[in-house]
Amino acid sequence: GEDVEQSLFLSVREGDSSVINCTYTDSSSTYLYWYKQEPGAGLQLLTYIFSNMDMKQDQRLTVLLNKKDKHLSLRIADTQTGDSAIYFCAETPILTGGGNKLTFGTGTQLKVEL
Amino acid sequence: DTGVSQNPRHKITKRGQNVTFRCDPISEHNRLYWYRQTLGQGPEFLTYFQNEAQLEKSRLLSDRFSAERPKGSFSTLEIQRTEQGDSAMYLCASSFETTRDTQYFGPGTRLTVL
C-alpha cells in the first residue's frame, strides 16, 4: 500500500525559511497535499500539487516535487511564530468514479523561535 | 461559518459505554470521510460516503464501529462497547466529487476512554 514518510521535528528562527520534507511510495498519478494542524485543532489545507507538476507557489508557500525520487517539500518563506504547528504531507491516487482516501505522513512539528 | 463542523468537540466516557459523534459537512459537498488520529500520528482513513452510500470501510473499522449518513447530509459515527484503545481524535472531512476531491476537515472530536 501507499506509504508517506516525514521527519519528526524542525526548528527555525523567526524570519528564516523553513523546509519540510516528505517522501511517498505511490507510483501512480496522484495528488499530494500539505495540511497544517495547530494544537487541539483539525487540519487546515495549505496547498496541493498534482504529480505531473514540478513546482507550485502560493504566497509564502512553495511546493517542490521530485517525481523521480518521490520527494515532496514545502518551503515557508519568512517563517513567523504563527507558523508553529504540525505539518502533514498526504497523498491520494487519482481514482475515477471513487473516493480518494488520503494517506498521511506522521507529521513534522515545526517550532519557530524568536 | 460554512466549514465542516463536528460535535461534541470532546467526549470522556467509561470503558464499555457507547458513544456517538456527529459531523456536518460543507453544504454542497457530496462526499464525507471519517479519519482517526492517535497521539503523534497522522490521521488514518476509516470510511467514506458518497451521498448516503457508504462506499469503503477500512479494516481499522471493527464491528464495534458503525457510521451512517441517512440523508446524504450529516453523518454519525457510533462506537459500541468502547475500549481504551479507542481513545483518539476522530476527524471528519468533506469534499465535492471531482477528480481532485480536495478534502476539508472539521475540528475533530477528542475521545477519551477511561
Side-chain angles (χ1 to χ4, degrees):
Chain A
E2 299 86 2
D3 192 23
V4 178
E5 294 190 356
Q6 299 178 239
S7 53
L8 292 180
F9 297 103
L10 177 65
S11 180
V12 299
R13 288 181 183 248
E14 188 177 39
D16 288 350
S17 292
S18 307
V19 180
I20 302 171
N21 295 301
C22 168
T23 57
Y24 62 99
T25 58
D26 193 344
S27 59
S28 62
S29 295
T30 188
Y31 281 107
L32 297 143
Y33 297 85
W34 285 103
Y35 284 88
K36 175 184 179 183
Q37 187 175 39
E38 297 184 66
L43 277 70
Q44 175 192 351
L45 176 66
L46 293 177
T47 188
Y48 67 92
I49 191 168
F50 184 47
S51 56
N52 69 350
M53 299 167 65
D54 297 322
M55 186 184 87
K56 181 178 181 182
Q57 188 154 2
D58 184 0
Q59 298 182 333
R60 292 191 298 124
L61 305 179
T62 303
V63 179
L64 295 176
L65 177 60
N66 179 326
K67 291 182 286 295
K68 174 176 174 291
D69 295 337
K70 297 190 177 66
H71 181 266
L72 182 74
S73 67
L74 174 70
R75 179 177 180 269
I76 305 173
D78 187 25
T79 312
Q80 302 298 307
T81 54
D83 295 323
S84 293
I86 300 176
Y87 290 79
F88 290 97
C89 169
E91 68 91 21
T92 184
I94 304 303
L95 299 173
T96 55
N100 296 334
K101 62 184 180 184
L102 291 166
T103 299
F104 285 87
T106 52
T108 299
Q109 172 94 54
L110 173 63
K111 182 178 179 183
V112 182
E113 298 176 325
L114 296 172
Chain B
D1 185 9
T2 57
V4 178
S5 62
Q6 293 187 245
N7 288 288
R9 294 291 309 278
H10 303 275
K11 179 70 178 179
I12 300 173
T13 191
K14 293 183 179 179
R15 190 176 52 188
Q17 298 294 305
N18 300 343
V19 294
T20 301
F21 311 140
R22 176 177 169 130
C23 171
D24 287 89
I26 294 170
S27 59
E28 64 269 25
H29 285 183
N30 61 344
R31 285 184 176 164
L32 188 148
Y33 296 77
W34 286 99
Y35 292 82
R36 182 172 70 185
Q37 184 181 22
T38 53
L39 204 61
Q41 300 297 316
E44 294 176 292
F45 169 78
L46 291 179
T47 188
Y48 99 95
F49 293 83
Q50 181 155 311
N51 300 311
E52 65 275 7
Q54 187 174 17
L55 297 185
E56 188 173 350
K57 292 193 290 186
S58 162
R59 60 182 171 76
L60 293 175
L61 213 66
S62 75
D63 292 344
R64 298 183 296 105
F65 288 70
S66 62
E68 294 183 341
R69 195 183 183 198
K71 298 181 180 178
S73 56
F74 73 92
S75 175
T76 57
L77 178 68
E78 181 184 16
I79 309 174
Q80 295 183 324
R81 303 180 305 281
T82 52
E83 301 173 357
Q84 287 185 325
D86 297 330
S87 295
M89 174 81 91
Y90 290 83
L91 294 162
C92 174
S94 72
S95 70
F96 183 74
E97 180 185 354
T98 62
T99 302
R100 196 177 78 220
D101 198 33
T102 301
Q103 295 175 38
Y104 296 89
F105 282 79
T109 295
R110 167 77 65 189
L111 173 66
T112 302
V113 182
L114 302 176

